[in-house]
């Protein structure tokens, strides 16, 4: 299994990933304002409502079929969800996007065993929302994405979610994309190289 840190380009403090899909890239190599605010459909948020990136040529080919394209994205290093704790009192802010009853359910589950010194792990908040199917509306998905970014969460990292030894990033803070370009499928012949 590859270590995520092996993909960090030290002198620029950035990572490179593939993405398979349809993005609107500006002439400056950034995402268009409309893409910056998009959230995936509820059936496509297994790990959360972000942009899914991979280091695997096999995975990107799977998602770039048909009219979809392959992109190479350079992403600024930021804060992984596993390193961020959120003030428990701030959870109430979600009631405007997921509703009061769902916020109450979330708070009750968090209070059962996850509040420590008035804070809760950000990844636990997201996991409960996903496991309880509380992000079915676009408003809820956008709300939690914006809430996570406002709480200091930039992305979520996963090692080998498809079992091919790949690294995957679910990017919530799309402003961390420093460069995006469409690449020819022929350029995607192997996994992205490890950086030492």
């Amino acid at each position: 299994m590859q270590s995520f840190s092996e993909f960090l380009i030290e002198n620029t403090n950035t990572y490179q990933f593939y993405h398979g899909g349809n993005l609107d890239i500006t002439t400056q190599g950034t995402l268009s304002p409309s893409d910056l605010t998009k959230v995936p459909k509820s059936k496509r948020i297994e790990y959360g409502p972000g942009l899914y990136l991979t280091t695997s040529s096999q995975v990107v080919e799977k998602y770039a079929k048909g009219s979809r394209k392959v992109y190479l994205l350079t992403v600024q290093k930021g804060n992984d969800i596993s390193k961020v704790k959120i003030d428990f009192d701030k959870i109430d802010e979600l009631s405007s996007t997921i509703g009061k009853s769902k916020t109450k359910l979330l708070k009750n589950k968090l209070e059962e065993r996850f509040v420590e010194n008035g804070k809760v792990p950000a990844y636990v908040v997201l996991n409960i929302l996903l496991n309880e199917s509380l992000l079915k509306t676009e408003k809820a998905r956008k709300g939690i994405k914006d809430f996570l970014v406002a709480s200091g969460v930039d992305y979520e990292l996963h090692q080998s979610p498809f079992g091919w030894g790949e690294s995957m990033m679910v990017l919530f803070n799309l402003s961390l994309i420093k460069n995006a370009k469409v690449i020819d499928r022929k350029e995607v012949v192997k996994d992205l190289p490890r950086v030492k």
Side-chain angles (χ1 to χ4, degrees), residues 36-50:
L36 287 172
T37 59
K38 273 186 195 172
V39 290
K41 296 185 183 336
S42 63
K43 293 178 182 173
R44 304 190 82 186
I45 62 165
E46 187 173 324
Y47 293 94

Side-chain angles (χ1 to χ4, degrees), residues 91-133:
I91 300 299
D92 287 323
E93 294 174 15
L94 289 171
S95 63
S96 64
T97 57
I98 66 171
K100 289 182 181 181
S101 63
K102 292 176 182 178
T103 302
K104 184 177 179 181
L105 171 67
L106 172 62
K107 286 185 78 173
N108 287 341
K109 292 209 170 268
L110 290 168
E111 277 183 311
E112 286 175 13
R113 52 186 255 227
F114 297 107
V115 180
E116 187 176 310
N117 298 323
K119 295 189 178 288
V120 292
Y123 75 91
V124 172
V125 173
L126 181 59
N127 284 346
I128 290 171
L129 290 168
L130 292 170
N131 291 340
E132 296 294 327
S133 300

Side-chain angles (χ1 to χ4, degrees), residues 1-8 15 17 55 157-160 165-168 192-196:
M1 180 160 60
Q2 298 168 339
S3 165
F4 187 79
S5 63
E6 293 178 78
F7 296 95
L8 180 66
Y15 300 99
F17 286 95
T55 59
L157 308 174
H158 293 277
Q159 294 298 333
S160 201
E166 77 283 6
S167 294
M168 180 180 80
L192 287 169
R194 294 179 181 186
V195 177
K196 298 288 180 186

Side-chain angles (χ1 to χ4, degrees), residues 24-64:
D24 188 12
I25 307 294
T26 68
T27 55
Q28 293 82 23
T30 58
L31 293 186
S32 70
S34 64
D35 271 351
L36 287 172
T37 59
K38 273 186 195 172
V39 290
K41 296 185 183 336
S42 63
K43 293 178 182 173
R44 304 190 82 186
I45 62 165
E46 187 173 324
Y47 293 94
L51 185 65
Y52 286 63
L53 311 174
T54 182
T55 59
S56 170
S57 59
Q58 290 175 297
V59 173
V60 79
E61 282 297 328
K62 177 180 171 184
Y63 287 95

